[in-house]
Amino acid sequence: MKPRPPAGASSASAVTARLRPHLARITSFLIVFAVGYSVGLLSSSTRPSLRPSQTTIVRPHAAHLTDASTTVPAPNATAAGVAAAATTASYPRSPPHDLFRFREECGEPVPSDAVVPTLLEKLFDGESPYAGFPTPQTAALLHPAKARPRGWGSTGAVFAELIEAVRPEVIVELGAFLGASALHMAAVSRNLSLSPAILCIDDFRGWPAFRERFRRDVPPPRHGDALLLPQFMANVAAAGADAAARVLPLPFSTASALSALCGWGVYADLIEVDAGHDFHSAWADINLAWAVLRPGGVMFGHDYFTSADDRGVRRAVTLFAKVKGLTIRPHGQHWVLSPKPRGHGNAR
Ligand SMILES: *[C@@H]1O[C@H](CO)[C@@H](O)[C@H](O)[C@H]1NC(C)=O
Ligand SMILES: *[C@@H]1O[C@H](CO)[C@@H](O)[C@H](O)[C@H]1NC(C)=O
């Protein structure tokens, strides 16, 4: 913003004279502003963040966040009593609302090598969705499959680092889009002689008006269908039979798919969260996915620095780490939580 000339200033030189004593402060403000703005832009772009390995330690003082006894008003409480309790309890000592209520215990674990057959049975009548795919009619609607589909931060060092450290048998990805990071994880795993099942949960609809920005990457819609699922599958199929045997699309909302996996006892050793970037979407995804993360497994996610929804992803990750007593490690554009403590849940 330009400083406004004071009332009565009659010429540019008068303005300059009046501003001169403040020039140093104005200049340093502009520099700070410009640097801050660039950092914000860079960190939300597709390039790696300027803060590669800064470590945020979040201490677990979260008992009060979930302690119901301090805040439930008695059934006979007067309005004045409730109001008094509310004013003495500042956020986040708010009522024990459902914000913190998620299922934590899931079904008897399915063995890792039975995960793909189980899901084919439950979701696809026992047949691989890639069987006979694509029909000529479908192929005619799609872009040629790309070895490196459009993605964001899909080949960051974090994938190879975590896959090598965790050596997962099952990976769950929330938010798959065109399969860029799933195919990268498949390639990294293959290089490490690992062959994890890679379960890609996505409704494959993108988001409202996303096509405006990616016309070259996504097929034109057909009868209202975004065709992201067949384009994802074409990209996976083009990566080879090995990829098609292990990279499985779960074409549902993250909440419904995760609660089904939980019920069926399908657990993952590594989970990437990269679906909705608003606080409530990220918060639900992180909590629901945590239930199907094996003890000792690692959850990480994309866009730790995105400004969407007033840094909604970061707020969700920070709150979750506080509640669970975990540490957060920013890694390029990603966030990585400390491994899920053992001795919780009934997996393994
Ligand atoms: C509510 O009821 C409980 C037990 O019946 C009593 O101890 C308490 O004082 C009551 N509170 C109010 C605000 O009337
Ligand atoms: C896998 O290994 C090959 C051969 O060394 C290499 O060219 C390729 O970049 C590696 N892929 C990944 C994703 O690390």
Side-chain angles (χ1 to χ4, degrees):
M1 270 201 303
K2 277 201 314 195
R4 291 183 144 217
S10 56
S11 73
S13 63
V15 175
T16 314
R18 276 166 181 258
L19 285 179
R20 191 163 294 129
H22 305 293
L23 271 182
R25 275 161 63 194
I26 291 172
T27 308
S28 50
F29 169 79
L30 286 177
I31 289 171
V32 168
F33 179 79
V35 168
Y37 186 74
S38 319
V39 169
L41 269 189
L42 284 174
S43 63
S44 64
S45 80
T46 55
R47 277 184 286 162
S49 150
L50 289 180
R51 286 167 280 184
S53 58
Q54 182 187 46
T55 300
T56 305
I57 307 291
V58 181
R59 298 287 171 204
H61 291 304
H64 63 282
L65 289 174
T66 49
D67 183 359
S69 63
T70 56
T71 45
V72 181
N76 59 352
T78 62
V82 173
T87 51
T88 53
S90 62
Y91 181 82
R93 278 177 101 83
S94 45
H97 41 59
D98 292 345
L99 182 64
F100 298 104
R101 198 169 125 182
F102 290 92
R103 182 172 175 184
E104 294 191 10
E105 301 284 321
C106 295
E108 267 310 300
V110 168
S112 296
D113 56 5
V115 161
V116 169
T118 299
L119 293 176
L120 292 184
E121 200 58 51
K122 301 266 190 202
L123 301 175
F124 303 112
D125 285 353
E127 187 181 46
S128 166
Y130 298 99
F133 176 88
T135 62
Q137 296 93 318
T138 301
L141 301 173
L142 303 178
H143 282 315
K146 282 192 193 164
R148 299 193 57 181
R150 183 74 162 87
W152 298 264
S154 308
T155 55
V158 70
F159 292 100
E161 185 187 301
L162 290 180
I163 288 172
E164 185 157 17
V166 175
R167 305 188 74 78
E169 294 176 349
V170 179
I171 298 174
V172 163
E173 174 179 62
L174 310 183
F177 202 52
L178 296 171
S181 48
L183 290 175
H184 177 67
M185 289 193 280
V188 168
S189 305
R190 197 163 44 238
N191 279 6
L192 291 166
S193 305
L194 300 170
S195 47
I198 302 178
L199 312 178
C200 299
I201 302 176
D202 197 308
D203 60 13
F204 293 103
R205 308 219 159 242
W207 52 93
F210 77 100
R211 189 174 284 96
E212 295 300 314
R213 285 170 61 200
F214 312 114
R215 288 203 182 277
R216 279 191 210 173
D217 305 297
V218 298
R222 180 75 168 182
H223 301 314
D225 185 355
L227 294 181
L228 288 178
L229 175 59
Q231 187 68 59
F232 168 95
M233 289 173 55
N235 294 343
V236 173
D242 174 65
R246 296 191 288 110
V247 179
L248 193 63
L250 308 190
F252 305 96
S253 75
T254 51
S256 67
L258 286 169
S259 82
L261 294 184
C262 179
W264 296 332
V266 173
Y267 294 84
D269 310 287
L270 187 62
I271 298 182
E272 190 203 6
V273 180
D274 189 16
H277 284 4
D278 60 284
F279 170 84
H280 287 285
S281 297
W283 175 249
D285 287 345
I286 291 167
N287 278 277
L288 294 168
W290 191 252
V292 298
L293 182 63
R294 275 189 215 277
V298 171
M299 179 184 288
F300 69 115
H302 190 228
D303 273 336
Y304 189 57
F305 298 103
T306 182
S307 59
D309 187 28
D310 192 16
R311 307 192 184 276
V313 170
R314 196 184 326 177
R315 287 189 291 124
V317 176
T318 303
L319 181 58
F320 186 77
K322 271 187 191 162
V323 170
K324 299 288 183 188
L326 304 166
T327 58
I328 306 166
R329 180 167 61 103
H331 190 309
Q333 298 173 13
H334 285 79
W335 50 269
V336 183
L337 288 177
S338 47
K340 184 172 182 174
R342 295 176 191 276
H344 295 280
N346 53 5
R348 260 186 199 163

Short mmCIF file of all heavy atoms in Angstrom, two decimals, residues 74-78 81, ligand 1:
data_model
loop_
_atom_site.label_atom_id
_atom_site.label_comp_id
_atom_site.label_asym_id
_atom_site.label_seq_id
_atom_site.Cartn_x
_atom_site.Cartn_y
_atom_site.Cartn_z
N ALA A 74 -23.73 -29.98 34.43
CA ALA A 74 -24.70 -30.91 35.02
C ALA A 74 -26.05 -30.68 34.36
O ALA A 74 -26.33 -29.58 33.89
CB ALA A 74 -24.80 -30.64 36.52
N PRO A 75 -26.88 -31.71 34.32
CA PRO A 75 -28.16 -31.58 33.64
C PRO A 75 -29.01 -30.46 34.24
O PRO A 75 -29.80 -29.83 33.55
CB PRO A 75 -28.84 -32.93 33.89
CG PRO A 75 -27.78 -33.86 34.32
CD PRO A 75 -26.65 -33.05 34.86
N ASN A 76 -28.80 -30.20 35.52
CA ASN A 76 -29.62 -29.17 36.17
C ASN A 76 -28.93 -27.82 36.22
O ASN A 76 -29.36 -26.92 36.89
CB ASN A 76 -29.99 -29.62 37.60
CG ASN A 76 -28.74 -29.87 38.44
OD1 ASN A 76 -27.63 -29.85 37.92
ND2 ASN A 76 -28.94 -30.10 39.72
N ALA A 77 -27.77 -27.70 35.52
CA ALA A 77 -27.02 -26.45 35.59
C ALA A 77 -27.85 -25.28 35.06
O ALA A 77 -28.57 -25.42 34.08
CB ALA A 77 -25.74 -26.58 34.77
N THR A 78 -27.71 -24.16 35.72
CA THR A 78 -28.42 -22.97 35.25
C THR A 78 -27.66 -22.35 34.10
O THR A 78 -26.46 -22.60 33.93
CB THR A 78 -28.52 -21.92 36.37
OG1 THR A 78 -27.18 -21.54 36.70
CG2 THR A 78 -29.24 -22.48 37.58
N GLY A 81 -24.70 -20.60 35.39
CA GLY A 81 -23.63 -21.52 35.76
C GLY A 81 -22.82 -21.95 34.56
O GLY A 81 -21.60 -21.98 34.60
C1 LIG B 1 -27.41 -30.18 40.51
O1 LIG B 1 -27.72 -31.37 41.19
C2 LIG B 1 -26.68 -31.87 42.01
C3 LIG B 1 -27.07 -33.23 42.55
O2 LIG B 1 -28.47 -33.40 42.48
C4 LIG B 1 -26.40 -30.86 43.12
O3 LIG B 1 -25.34 -31.35 43.97
C5 LIG B 1 -26.00 -29.57 42.49
O4 LIG B 1 -25.79 -28.58 43.48
C6 LIG B 1 -27.05 -29.07 41.50
N1 LIG B 1 -26.55 -27.93 40.80
C7 LIG B 1 -27.28 -26.85 40.59
C8 LIG B 1 -26.60 -25.78 39.77
O5 LIG B 1 -28.40 -26.71 40.98
#
